[in-house]
Amino acid sequence: MRINEMFSESRPVLSFEIFPPKRDGDVLGVHHTIDVLAELKPDYISVTYGAAGSERGMDTVRMASRIKREHGIEALAHLTSIGVTKKEIDEILDIYRSEGIENILALRGDLEVNAVPKASDFKYAADLIAHVKQNGHFGIGAACYPEGHIHARSKTTDLIYLRDKVQKGVDFLVTQLFFDTDLFYAFRNEVRSLDIEVPITVGVMPVLNRKQIERMVALSGASLPDKFKKILEKYEHNPVALQDAGIAYACDQIVDLLSTGVDGIHLYVMNKPEVAKRIVSNISGIMSSSQHRKTP
Ligand code: FAD
């Protein structure tokens, strides 16, 4: 099923994001994560992609295929285009298709620190999106950034490029994580004022430890509201308390977001299914009684 069809129902779409095992990593651990997440009956589960490497792409394929075939849950396979040729992308698209994957999150990706840039047929995600659209077999999602992409020249240019990306064939958008919901509302208003009408599902990341959040903030440039900083300072040396507070903060964000009728909630669960379980049990009643703007 194409994920964009899910947004035509009146309730918000619930999804989780996981990452595949690192090479020689804990495959069974990721299988367990998928098993537990599947019990929570999300609309779909997305699987991240290691930029610049078709072998790493195979880990994404294996996990996405497992989600779909063993659990009957729709999978969203991420795909990045930095340092990749059209031929390599076509090979991976063929594999996705043969594994029954129908939905792709099309991204530019980032070069690893100190990596030597490789020849690429795609400069921006928009180029990959146009190519996947031409292929014709996939529903297409793309990333968006409520606070602007960390390397964007300005928020305004970032929005113009977002519109360009959507016009190339995007069916729905998934946001970068953020901790200040007001910034998302302002972003959504700007997006809609540019006549970008595709559904926007909102990425929420529960904070589980200080190191994780510092890394994510360095990568994304997300701003931290005072309330959030106080939680980090107060509980940073007490992992159990910080996890409880992080889950409570994420739930608070979700309740706020649902009350304004967001199209979907995408939980960055960091392969911690127990955390997803706690969040879902806190918000399930609210999710099922919430309505969102139906796709036009
Ligand atoms: P783009 O949309 O191409 O934008 C990148 C930058 O280029 C922006 O600053 C934009 O303003 C600018 N830009 C766009 N078009 C133009 C143009 N025509 N001229 C000049 N500038 C332009 N990374 C991974 O490696 N693997 C993953 O699985 C992964 N999953 C992600 C999931 C989500 C939901 C999000 C939000 C991000 C994810 N990322 C992932 C990170 C992502 O790859 C990086 O944020 C990357 O830097 C940008 O990717 P993009 O697709 O948004 O790029």
Side-chain angles (χ1 to χ4, degrees), residues 144-152 154-156 158-159 175-184 186-187 190 217 220-225 253:
C144 65
Y145 301 83
E147 300 187 54
H149 181 259
I150 190 159
H151 298 131
S154 70
K155 270 189 172 185
T156 310
D158 206 37
L159 279 167
T175 77
Q176 178 63 282
L177 62 94
F178 55 85
F179 300 103
D180 183 341
T181 45
D182 287 341
L183 294 175
F184 169 73
F187 168 78
E190 286 181 277
V217 167
S220 68
S223 43
L224 300 181
Q253 267 192 296

Side-chain angles (χ1 to χ4, degrees), residues 34-64:
I34 295 172
D35 292 347
V36 178
L37 293 179
E39 284 166 21
L40 302 175
K41 304 203 180 332
D43 294 292
Y44 68 91
I45 298 178
S46 89
V47 187
T48 63
Y49 190 92
S54 54
E55 180 45 39
R56 271 187 268 175
M58 287 312 296
D59 301 328
T60 304
V61 172
R62 285 183 204 108
M63 294 305 134

Side-chain angles (χ1 to χ4, degrees), residues 226-238:
D226 285 344
K227 179 177 165 189
F228 188 88
K229 283 190 203 150
K230 275 189 215 147
I231 291 174
L232 276 185
E233 276 156 27
K234 174 92 180 157
Y235 302 116
E236 67 175 312
H237 300 300
N238 184 335

Side-chain angles (χ1 to χ4, degrees), residues 84-224:
V84 186
T85 62
K86 275 190 181 152
K87 185 169 170 282
E88 288 169 315
I89 288 291
D90 286 339
E91 282 165 8
I92 198 99
L93 290 179
D94 282 348
I95 299 171
Y96 277 5
R97 196 174 162 206
S98 66
E99 292 293 327
I101 292 161
E102 293 176 59
N103 298 282
I104 287 179
L105 190 70
L107 302 146
R108 184 196 68 177
D110 292 306
L111 277 181
E112 278 169 20
V113 185
N114 300 329
V116 182
K118 274 175 61 191
S120 176
D121 288 333
F122 307 92
K123 192 160 185 192
Y124 298 107
D127 306 320
L128 175 65
I129 288 158
H131 189 72
V132 177
K133 183 78 184 171
Q134 217 176 20
N135 177 292
H137 289 103
F138 302 96
I140 305 175
C144 65
Y145 301 83
E147 300 187 54
H149 181 259
I150 190 159
H151 298 131
R153 215 169 341 127
S154 70
K155 270 189 172 185
T156 310
T157 58
D158 206 37
L159 279 167
I160 304 286
Y161 294 135
L162 178 65
R163 184 173 61 186
D164 178 42
K165 197 152 85 161
V166 171
Q167 285 170 347
K168 294 263 165 41
V170 169
D171 300 309
F172 64 98
L173 293 166
V174 185
T175 77
Q176 178 63 282
L177 62 94
F178 55 85
F179 300 103
D180 183 341
T181 45
D182 287 341
L183 294 175
F184 169 73
Y185 300 138
F187 168 78
R188 184 171 58 181
N189 287 342
E190 286 181 277
V191 167
R192 298 304 182 214
S193 74
L194 287 173
D195 291 331
I196 303 172
E197 289 296 339
V198 292
I200 307 173
T201 196
V202 175
V204 174
M205 179 178 280
V207 180
L208 304 177
N209 62 65
R210 185 164 192 134
K211 237 171 135 184
Q212 164 220 353
I213 219 59
E214 282 171 351
R215 189 172 159 269
M216 293 320 298
V217 167
L219 282 174
S220 68
S223 43
L224 300 181

